[in-house]
């Protein structure tokens, strides 16, 4: 399957906003922590959240583990990274700075190992944040000597901490690593699975209930009357002419048995004519799916799409759609009827629609699309033998009546007439009821077999698709690594375009928001991730603010619709945030020389929370993942104080972190 199958890439305007989006929430327990979980388990989940780009929750988890006695250089290392990740020194609270100071004093008490060394190097980096690059050589050498895991983690989580000359010295390495990670682990071939919802279970149309109960209740009475009438007529014929009557009885009995044997193969297996129309040559629903509601319309559109992309050789898409119009209509009604009450999106049943489209093409190519009904066609010899047997039976019965009538004295002719009359009426009625019962039994057996075959085939396809998604779907760590690499690449291109180095920057921030009509997905307790993003990078220099935005296709890391603008610090007059529970978060930038611009930060998601999820926690996770907190504080401060705020927060005016003695 291609990730672009049925999708349309929609261009976004620079300040476009988007409406409500449905999303895929994967039922994963990677972040689940039992209330009675051990400190070790909480620490393990905290580290996973840190690696997956959720530092705010990681801080809480690791802090809780430390508070309950689980401590050591490895734990402290990850706690420090969680505190510093996606934040600048100015964003740390006084309490956090005190805790960092306390932790730096404990480093020397730990036994020598790689975690102690990584923790020490981290604090050494903090102490040289405002120094010139010539003085960073020793600490950079120590950083390079660390194991690759700790080395990369420090560079990633201290991204906003490392500025100026220090970051210049590390930027080439950071850029090179991002380039290697950007398409690692078959990104292009796997990202589609992340935004594909888990398939809903396989269903098929069950057999319709039997309607033969009334016939079964009436048959015994008709059968008894038929037997009594037959015995009476036979007895009268034997009394009148035993020799002739015996021959007639044997002929009638043989013809009757033959008529029953061949008749049941004809009328007892043949479906009613209403079931043999072209519209009913495929599985039928037993409910009503005729109403054109939104779900049914989406199902029909999905069938049209998948049938048009799965055409037999020699057919154009339009010709195949015309050829299969009735088939698609009936299948769409079936699927809509089977799944409508589940209140699901069509995406969750797309696997079945795709399978039915493929199955229809395969059966058409094999010439078996209507085989099940061809198998029910009655051979001509069966029909001939049935008609002949009935004719012989009728002749034998009339001859017996003639024998009984002509050879008997009154009142036997009257009894013979009544016997023939009862035999004819009860025989026809009993035969009709019996054939109806046989037809229902045959239909029920046929539909039951079809139901089992269809359900089994669909269950196999469902399992295949589910396994494919499970083995293909990227992990949260992979998604976060790819996103981080994209942001690094975007920043690097912006710096190159404006011919800036990190020494030229006072600070920077990048805001990540969903692009119009993007698909979105997340795991439980995790942030929303999007199939298309809008990256907005703000570079703060002494000359003012450079804003660069571009739309990223996360499937293949391509981008388009790049926009650039420059404005002075005093041009940013105000920054406002609009929160709407039904829509989401909007960031509004108001410039003195232009109209206000709204930027969609995140979509509403209260309707897609699991019962055990907190709306406030998920909201904080998503805002943090978007870079909103850091961006808003920067822009709000500049709007309030102008260049004075920038000067006070310049790396040159930053008080270096002092480790405890």
């Amino acid at each position: 399957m291609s990730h672009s199958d049925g999708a349309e890439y929609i261009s976004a305007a620079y300040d476009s906003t988007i409406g409500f989006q449905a999303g895929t929430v994967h039922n994963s327990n990677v972040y689940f922590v039992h209330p009675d979980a051990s400190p070790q388990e909480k620490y393990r989940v905290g580290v996973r959240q840190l690696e997956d780009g959720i530092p705010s929750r990681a801080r809480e988890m690791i802090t809780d583990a430390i508070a309950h006695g689980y401590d050591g250089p490895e734990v402290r290392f990850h706690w420090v990274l969680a505190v510093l990740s996606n934040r600048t020194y100015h964003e740390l609270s006084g309490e956090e700075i005190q805790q960092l100071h306390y932790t730096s004093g404990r480093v020397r008490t730990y036994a020598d190992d790689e975690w102690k060394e990584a923790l020490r190097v981290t604090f050494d980096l903090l102490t040289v944040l405002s120094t010139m690059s010539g003085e960073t050589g020793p600490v950079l050498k120590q950083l390079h000597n660390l194991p690759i895991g700790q080395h990369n983690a420090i560079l990633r989580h201290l991204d906003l901490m490392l500025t100026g000359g220090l970051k210049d010295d590390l930027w080439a390495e950071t850029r090179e690593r991002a380039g290697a990670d950007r398409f690692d682990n078959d990104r292009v071939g796997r990202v589609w699975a992340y935004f594909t919802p888990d398939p809903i279970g396989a269903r098929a149309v069950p057999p319709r209930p039997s309607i033969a109960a009334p016939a079964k209740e009436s048959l015994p009475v008709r059968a008894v009357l038929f037997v009594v009438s037959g015995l009476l007529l036979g007895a009268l014929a034997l009394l009148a002419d035993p020799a002739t009557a015996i021959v007639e009885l044997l002929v009638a009995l043989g013809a009757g048995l033959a008529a029953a044997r061949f008749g049941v193969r004809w009328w007892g297996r043949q479906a009613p004519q209403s079931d043999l129309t072209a519209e009913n040559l495929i599985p039928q629903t037993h409910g009503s799916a005729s109403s054109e509601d939104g779900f049914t319309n989406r199902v029909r559109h999905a069938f049209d799409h998948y049938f048009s992309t799965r055409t037999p050789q020699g057919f154009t898409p339009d010709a195949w759609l015309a050829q299969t119009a009735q088939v698609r209509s009936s299948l769409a009604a079936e699927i809509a009827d089977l799944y409508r009450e589940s209140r699901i999106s069509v995406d969750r049943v797309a696997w079945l629609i795709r399978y039915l489209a493929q199955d229809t093409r395969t059966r058409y190519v094999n010439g078996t699309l209507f085989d099940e009904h061809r198998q029910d066609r009655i051979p001509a010899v069966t029909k001939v033998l049935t008609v002949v047997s009935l004719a012989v039976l009728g002749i034998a019965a009339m001859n017996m009546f003639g024998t009984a009538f002509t050879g008997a004295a009154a009142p036997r002719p009257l009894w013979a007439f009544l016997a023939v009359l009862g035999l004819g009426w009860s025989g026809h009625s009993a035969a009709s009821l019996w054939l109806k019962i046989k037809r229902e039994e045959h239909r029920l057996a046929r539909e039951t077999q079809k139901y089992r075959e269809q359900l089994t085939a669909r269950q196999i396809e469902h399992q295949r698709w589910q396994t494919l998604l499970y083995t293909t779907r990227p992990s949260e760590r992979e998604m976060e690594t790819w996103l981080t690499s994209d942001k690094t690449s975007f920043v690097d291109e912006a710096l190159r375009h404006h011919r800036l180095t990190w020494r030229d920057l006072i600070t920077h921030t990048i805001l990540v928001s969903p692009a119009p009509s993007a698909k979105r997905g997340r795991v439980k307790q995790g942030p929303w991730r999007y199939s298309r993003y809008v990256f907005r990078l703000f570079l703060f220099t002494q000359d003012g603010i450079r804003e660069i935005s571009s739309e990223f296709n996360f499937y293949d890391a391509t981008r388009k619709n790049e926009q650039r603008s420059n404005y002075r610090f005093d041009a940013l007059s105000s920054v406002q945030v609009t929160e709407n529970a039904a829509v989401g978060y909007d960031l509004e930038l108001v410039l003195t020389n232009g109209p206000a611009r709204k930027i969609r930060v995140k979509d509403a998601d209260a309707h897609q929370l699991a019962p055990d999820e907190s709306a406030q926690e998920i909201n904080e996770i998503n805002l943090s993942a978007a870079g909103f907190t850091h961006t808003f504080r920067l822009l709000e401060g500049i709007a309030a104080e102008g260049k004075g705020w920038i000067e006070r927060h310049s790396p040159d005016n930053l008080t270096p972190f002092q480790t405890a003695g």
Side-chain angles (χ1 to χ4, degrees):
M1 173 187 172
S2 170
H3 70 264
S4 61
D5 196 3
E8 181 181 359
Y9 195 83
I10 303 177
S11 300
Y14 179 60
D15 290 310
S16 295
T17 59
I18 53 178
F20 164 81
Q21 298 181 61
T24 299
V25 181
H26 304 300
N27 189 23
S28 172
N29 291 322
V30 293
Y31 303 138
F32 175 75
V33 179
H34 193 275
D36 298 328
S38 65
Q40 294 91 330
E41 178 64 17
K42 292 180 179 179
Y43 166 72
R44 184 192 65 79
V45 174
V47 171
R48 177 183 287 272
Q49 291 172 327
L50 178 63
E51 294 172 340
D52 295 350
I54 319 175
S56 58
R57 291 290 293 159
R59 287 194 290 271
E60 297 178 15
M61 286 292 176
I62 300 176
T63 299
D64 188 271
I66 294 174
H68 286 85
Y70 191 66
D71 204 348
E74 179 182 355
V75 178
R76 288 287 174 169
F77 173 74
H78 286 110
W79 176 81
V80 170
L81 294 188
V83 170
L84 302 178
S85 184
N86 290 341
R87 305 168 90 186
T88 64
Y89 191 80
H90 294 287
E91 294 179 61
L92 301 178
S93 66
E95 181 182 357
E96 288 171 331
I97 293 176
Q98 289 180 358
Q99 291 173 341
L100 287 169
H101 190 269
Y102 168 77
T103 300
S104 70
R106 294 197 58 186
V107 174
R108 65 179 183 274
T109 66
Y110 296 131
D112 292 336
D113 64 7
E114 63 182 30
W115 296 108
K116 175 183 177 179
E117 182 63 14
L119 190 57
R120 187 184 62 79
V121 171
T122 303
F123 283 116
D124 287 346
L125 282 170
L126 293 180
T127 63
V128 297
L129 287 180
S130 61
T131 62
M132 298 302 292
S133 61
E135 302 175 14
T136 62
V139 69
L140 291 180
K141 182 178 180 181
Q142 295 167 6
L143 177 63
H144 285 293
N145 290 336
L146 291 177
I148 190 65
Q150 288 92 327
H151 172 272
N152 290 344
I154 291 173
L155 289 184
R156 173 187 169 190
H157 294 291
L158 270 65
D159 177 65
L160 294 180
M161 287 282 178
L162 304 177
T163 57
L166 181 60
K167 190 154 188 174
D168 258 342
D169 293 334
L170 296 168
W171 185 240
E173 181 182 349
T174 302
R175 184 178 62 230
E176 182 180 351
R177 188 181 70 255
D181 291 343
R182 200 174 182 195
F183 296 99
D184 197 18
N185 297 325
D186 191 22
R187 169 183 179 168
V188 176
R190 296 175 56 214
V191 166
W192 65 266
Y194 189 89
F195 301 105
T196 301
D198 295 326
I200 195 169
R203 301 179 189 176
V205 178
R208 293 168 292 174
S210 175
I211 58 173
K216 290 181 178 180
E217 293 178 359
S218 302
L219 179 60
V221 176
R222 277 30 171 220
V224 168
L225 180 58
F226 176 75
V227 171
V228 170
S229 299
L231 290 175
L232 177 59
L233 182 61
L236 292 174
L238 286 171
L239 290 175
D241 187 348
T244 303
I246 290 175
V247 174
E248 292 170 343
L249 282 171
L250 291 175
V251 172
L253 183 60
L257 292 175
R261 178 182 179 184
F262 295 111
V264 76
R265 294 181 182 178
W266 182 359
W267 294 302
R269 294 175 62 88
Q270 188 177 43
Q273 189 63 31
S274 60
D275 287 348
L276 292 178
T277 61
E279 191 172 329
N280 294 315
L281 290 178
I282 59 174
Q284 295 293 299
T285 62
H286 57 283
S288 175
S290 59
S291 59
E292 288 296 321
D293 57 18
F295 179 73
T296 302
N297 277 330
R298 289 190 292 272
V299 168
R300 292 187 184 280
H301 288 319
F303 268 103
D304 291 346
H305 167 70
Y306 286 117
F307 267 74
S308 67
T309 59
R310 287 158 175 80
T311 59
Q313 187 175 4
F315 278 90
T316 63
D318 289 341
W320 179 240
L321 289 176
Q323 176 76 15
T324 58
Q326 291 181 325
V327 172
R328 291 196 327 279
S329 177
S330 186
L331 285 175
E334 174 190 335
I335 298 305
D337 187 69
L338 284 173
Y339 290 98
R340 179 187 288 108
E341 79 285 356
S342 301
R343 298 184 180 275
I344 62 167
S345 68
V346 174
D347 288 341
R348 292 195 63 198
V349 77
W351 68 271
L352 180 54
I353 298 174
R354 189 166 51 247
Y355 164 75
L356 292 174
Q358 179 66 41
D359 180 64
T360 301
R361 181 180 70 174
T362 301
R363 290 197 294 153
Y364 179 85
V365 171
N366 295 339
T368 59
L369 186 57
F370 307 120
D371 259 11
E372 56 189 273
H373 298 282
R374 292 195 182 105
Q375 292 172 359
D376 286 338
R377 292 179 179 175
I378 311 303
V381 64
T382 300
K383 296 181 179 181
V384 171
L385 291 174
T386 302
V387 172
V388 171
S389 299
L390 287 175
V392 172
L393 176 61
I395 294 172
M398 293 307 298
N399 285 337
M400 288 178 62
F401 170 73
T403 300
F405 186 86
T406 57
R412 289 179 182 175
L414 176 61
W415 285 107
F417 178 76
L418 292 176
V420 169
L421 185 63
L423 189 66
W425 178 82
S426 63
H428 178 270
S429 179
S432 298
L433 293 173
W434 179 64
L435 289 174
K436 183 176 182 179
I437 293 171
K438 288 299 182 181
R439 277 197 301 269
E440 275 298 286
E441 289 176 350
H442 177 66
R443 179 199 59 81
L444 190 60
R446 183 180 64 232
E447 291 185 4
T448 300
Q449 180 183 5
K450 183 191 303 182
Y451 167 72
R452 291 172 178 170
E453 291 175 351
Q454 286 184 344
L455 185 61
T456 299
R458 295 177 184 186
Q459 286 173 335
I460 292 173
E461 175 63 16
H462 175 266
Q463 183 60 46
R464 185 198 69 81
W465 181 246
Q466 200 168 37
T467 300
L468 177 63
L469 286 181
Y470 179 78
T471 56
T472 305
R473 184 174 290 153
S475 66
E476 289 298 295
R477 186 178 308 177
E478 288 174 317
M479 294 290 287
E480 182 64 21
T481 298
W482 293 330
L483 180 60
T484 301
S485 300
D486 286 342
K487 290 191 286 188
T488 300
S489 174
F490 183 54
V491 171
D492 182 62
E493 290 186 26
L495 291 175
R496 290 173 181 269
H497 175 80
H498 290 288
R499 298 182 180 180
L500 296 172
T501 68
W502 288 104
R503 290 179 178 84
D504 301 321
L505 299 183
I506 298 172
T507 187
H508 78 289
T509 185
I510 185 167
L511 182 65
V512 178
S513 57
S517 303
K519 295 180 180 179
R520 65 177 184 171
R522 68 179 179 90
V523 299
K524 289 175 60 177
Q525 302 294 339
W528 284 113
R529 303 187 186 278
Y530 298 90
S531 61
R532 292 202 303 277
Y533 288 93
V534 173
F535 289 175
R536 281 183 174 83
L537 173 63
F538 298 89
L539 300 175
F540 302 90
T541 69
Q542 293 294 337
D543 299 327
I545 302 173
R546 289 180 172 87
E547 180 184 347
I548 307 98
S549 71
S550 185
E551 183 175 319
F552 269 76
N553 183 343
F554 194 73
Y555 289 121
D556 56 12
T558 57
R559 62 190 182 116
K560 65 174 185 177
N561 296 338
E562 184 166 306
Q563 301 284 341
R564 299 185 183 93
S565 60
N566 303 299
Y567 41 89
R568 303 183 313 276
F569 296 118
D570 56 6
L572 184 61
S573 61
S574 69
V575 180
Q576 300 176 356
V577 175
T578 303
E579 179 182 3
N580 187 321
V583 178
Y585 268 76
D586 286 330
L587 180 67
E588 185 177 64
L589 302 182
V590 180
L591 301 178
T592 57
N593 58 349
R597 297 190 289 109
K598 284 187 177 181
I599 301 172
R600 171 58 47 82
V601 179
K602 63 177 290 293
D603 295 320
D605 51 19
H607 61 287
Q608 288 187 303
L609 296 179
D612 57 345
E613 288 185 313
S614 165
Q616 181 178 354
E617 289 180 357
I618 299 300
N619 194 47
E620 292 174 354
I621 287 171
N622 282 294
L623 290 178
S624 176
F628 167 78
T629 305
H630 178 59
T631 301
F632 179 69
R633 286 178 179 173
L634 274 178
L635 296 178
E636 185 182 43
I638 294 171
E641 302 181 40
K643 194 170 183 178
W645 189 95
I646 287 293
E647 291 174 348
R648 288 193 299 106
H649 290 75
S650 172
D652 294 332
N653 298 324
L654 177 65
T655 301
F657 179 82
Q658 297 294 329
T659 58

